[in-house]
Amino acid sequence: MAAALVGLTAVPAAADPIRDRQWYLTALQVSRAHGLTEGRGVTVAVIDTGVDAGHRDLAGAVMPGLDVYPNAKGDGREDLAGHGTEMAGIIAARGHSTSDGVLGIAPAAKILPIRAPIDGYASSGYMREAVAFAKKQGADVINMSFGTSDDVPLREAVRAAQAADIVLVAASGNKGAPGDDYPGKYPEVLTVGATDRNGKVAELSVTGSQVDLTAPGVDIATTGIYGSGYQQGSGTSQATAVVSGAAALIRAKFPDLSAAEVAHRLTATATDAGAPGRDDSYGYGRLDLVKALTAAVPPLAASSPSTEGKQAPAREAEAEPAKRVSPLLFAGGAAIVVLLIGGLVVGLMLRRRR
């Protein structure tokens, strides 16, 4: 089964000031979001190429994980390809001083690395093992920055994760890339497209009815492999990692919300873009991180989201102005009542005289 990473890694970016290259931190007002929460107590499972736990900006962030390759003996904390380390940095990097190094969207969250054969020809049977491990380790969010074909093991793994109340975040895919559009096309998954520095849908981003949300995904600076390296790349992979970090912040700030409510909060507070309402390019809009953490969002309807097709979550309710009745109407009504009563009294008196 063909599978493909959904990120386009560029040449390594220079070292510090790498933070200055993280333009999306300003675009998303991440400093304001971190004044509310940094994601402490939340675990994000990253099913990818592994994570280089030795990177200085990821120090203390990476838990022992799992390697699902045949006959593998590792625990997911090594990465020969670099893609998983890049995603982990976007989600939860902590930098290595106040202003140096990569800063993740949820820098106090933990990364659970699951090294899997998502970048070649393989059966998706590994997904069952990956999801079962993530569930056992108490993962709150699963980041899936890859695309592959629909099949029974993958579908069952996704539904098992949904049943375990895990927020599932996947990429919509990159145009022209090998692979397919699953798990992003599953209704149980929050599917993410990429935007550029101007907030426009990136040319590389796959569009369609599966897109729920868009987030920065162009020129994204993040951690690379081999200790202290850095990378800058573009793709819906990177946008997916941004949204996984956002989901981690929401789960930390609102620990009682279900996974479905977390996804609902992200889409309900998104900034509408493109055609009014949901559209196939932006989904429900662009990620608004601060609003997702602060807005009063009505709960989902009592009925659970359909597993046969993605449902439109309700937008934030806007208070409707109370309908007021004119004082003149009250006065006119009172006068009519007085006249009617007066007429009734006069009628009774005339009847008595008869």
Side-chain angles (χ1 to χ4, degrees):
M1 175 174 49
L5 304 178
V6 223
L8 306 175
T9 301
V11 295
D16 295 328
I18 192 68
R19 187 77 57 87
D20 294 338
R21 297 189 177 211
Q22 291 187 273
W23 63 269
Y24 54 95
L25 298 181
T26 300
L28 294 173
Q29 301 183 73
V30 168
S31 61
R32 283 187 62 192
H34 287 174
L36 302 168
T37 176
E38 293 186 344
R40 193 172 308 281
V42 174
T43 298
V44 181
V46 177
I47 302 176
D48 215 292
T49 61
V51 175
D52 181 1
H55 197 291
R56 59 183 176 177
D57 293 352
L58 291 169
V62 185
M63 304 166 61
L66 176 70
D67 192 327
V68 299
Y69 274 87
N71 303 315
K73 297 180 180 179
D75 63 2
R77 292 185 292 180
E78 63 176 355
D79 184 6
L80 300 179
H83 193 267
T85 302
E86 293 170 32
M87 301 307 106
I90 295 168
I91 296 167
R94 301 174 176 188
H96 53 269
S97 73
T98 303
S99 58
D100 291 334
V102 169
L103 181 66
I105 302 297
K110 292 285 189 179
I111 296 292
L112 181 68
I114 301 176
R115 183 171 178 261
I118 62 172
D119 54 348
Y121 292 89
S123 166
S124 69
Y126 67 83
M127 281 293 293
R128 288 175 174 156
E129 186 179 359
V131 168
F133 179 79
K135 178 181 176 182
K136 183 177 180 180
Q137 299 300 314
D140 303 287
V141 180
I142 294 179
N143 184 85
M144 297 179 288
S145 291
F146 61 88
T148 187
S149 301
D150 177 28
D151 73 352
V152 172
L154 181 64
R155 196 179 317 130
E156 289 181 348
V158 165
R159 289 178 178 175
Q162 180 198 38
D165 198 41
I166 300 173
V167 180
L168 300 163
V169 190
S172 68
N174 295 337
K175 293 177 180 177
D180 211 331
D181 299 330
Y182 293 89
K185 279 191 173 180
Y186 292 136
E188 298 87 354
V189 172
L190 183 65
T191 305
V192 184
T195 53
D196 60 20
R197 291 174 182 256
N198 297 316
K200 303 295 185 183
V201 171
E203 292 184 3
L204 56 79
S205 188
V206 169
T207 58
S209 59
Q210 75 273 22
V211 178
D212 296 307
L213 190 65
T214 53
V218 173
D219 299 332
I220 304 299
T222 183
T223 48
I225 54 177
Y226 306 122
S228 59
Y230 297 99
Q231 294 286 332
Q232 182 169 299
S234 300
T236 54
S237 275
Q238 285 81 353
T240 299
V242 168
V243 172
S244 288
L249 294 183
I250 292 174
R251 297 223 90 164
K253 189 170 189 295
F254 304 101
D256 294 331
L257 287 185
S258 67
E261 290 284 3
V262 171
H264 169 61
R265 176 168 278 272
L266 286 164
T267 54
T269 57
T271 301
D272 196 10
R278 197 215 157 270
D279 63 75
D280 286 353
S281 295
Y282 293 90
Y284 292 101
R286 296 188 294 257
L287 171 67
D288 188 326
L289 188 58
V290 172
K291 196 173 181 181
L293 291 167
T294 58
V297 178
L300 280 169
S303 60
S304 60
S306 169
T307 57
E308 298 302 323
K310 298 201 175 189
Q311 290 190 342
R315 286 275 169 186
E316 283 184 276
E318 295 182 0
E320 183 180 354
K323 295 181 180 179
R324 300 180 62 187
V325 181
S326 168
L328 292 175
L329 183 59
F330 276 119
I336 292 172
V337 171
V338 170
L339 289 173
L340 289 173
I341 293 174
L344 180 61
V345 170
V346 171
L348 290 172
M349 292 176 64
L350 290 174
R351 290 183 64 183
R352 287 179 179 178
R353 288 179 182 177
R354 290 176 185 171

